[in-house]
């Protein structure tokens, strides 16, 4: 995979994430499901701290996700999308003499996931920010 995000999610979930966004979303959904099942199967006094390290200090810890009600997938992908392409990235590209950028997106960025797909979206404002 082209993005270091895949390696980070592999570390977080302790699974081989694969190379597609579908694989990444599946791993994060499974991570949340496993931790939700663990939380429901033990009493609060029996619940051990998560064995999974946070993705990074700037992104999140699982306890923050669990306490906020926001899925790990949403937090991880929102943090990644917010930092992956930004105004500084576009300025650097322009300074190299390039005048075009290819930003690969899936339909879920525009419309959100459909038909039970695991993707996280919509997130059109991030794309708007990249091309503004």
């Amino acid at each position: 995979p082209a993005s270091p995000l895949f390696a980070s999610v592999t570390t977080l979930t302790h699974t081989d994430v694969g190379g597609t966004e579908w694989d990444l979303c599946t791993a994060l959904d499974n991570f949340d499901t496993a931790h939700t099942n663990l939380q429901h199967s033990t009493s609060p006094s029996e619940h051990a701290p998560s064995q999974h390290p946070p993705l990074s200090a700037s992104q999140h810890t699982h306890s923050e996700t669990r306490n906020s009600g926001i899925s790990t997938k949403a937090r991880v992908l929102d943090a990644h999308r917010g930092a992956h392409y930004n105004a500084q990235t576009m300025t650097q590209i322009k300074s190299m003499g390039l005048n075009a950028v290819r930003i690969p997106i899936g339909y879920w960025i525009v419309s959100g996931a459909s038909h039970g797909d695991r993707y996280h979206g919509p997130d059109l404002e991030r794309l708007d920010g990249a091309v503004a």
Side-chain angles (χ1 to χ4, degrees), residues 81 85-91 93 99-105 109 123-132:
R81 290 173 183 166
Y85 296 111
N86 57 36
Q88 182 181 3
T89 307
M90 299 306 164
T91 300
I93 290 170
N99 61 5
V101 176
R102 179 181 179 271
I103 302 175
I105 62 164
I109 297 297
D123 201 3
L124 194 54
E125 59 276 358
R126 302 265 192 218
L127 182 59
D128 288 345
V131 298

Side-chain angles (χ1 to χ4, degrees), residues 37-49:
N37 290 341
L38 176 66
Q39 184 179 15
H40 292 322
S41 68
T42 60
S43 71
S45 61
E46 298 171 339
H47 186 65

Side-chain angles (χ1 to χ4, degrees), residues 7-68:
S8 296
V9 171
T10 295
T11 300
L12 174 71
T13 63
H14 297 288
T15 58
D16 182 14
V17 173
T20 67
E21 191 162 342
W22 177 270
D23 297 331
L24 186 125
C25 290
T26 299
L28 291 169
D29 283 345
N30 291 342
F31 177 77
D32 274 347
T33 299
H35 280 78
T36 299
N37 290 341
L38 176 66
Q39 184 179 15
H40 292 322
S41 68
T42 60
S43 71
S45 61
E46 298 171 339
H47 186 65
S50 173
Q51 298 298 314
H52 302 285
L55 209 54
S56 75
S58 65
Q59 290 180 325
H60 80 286
T61 65
H62 186 70
S63 62
E64 288 172 347
T65 299
R66 186 175 62 236
N67 294 335
S68 71

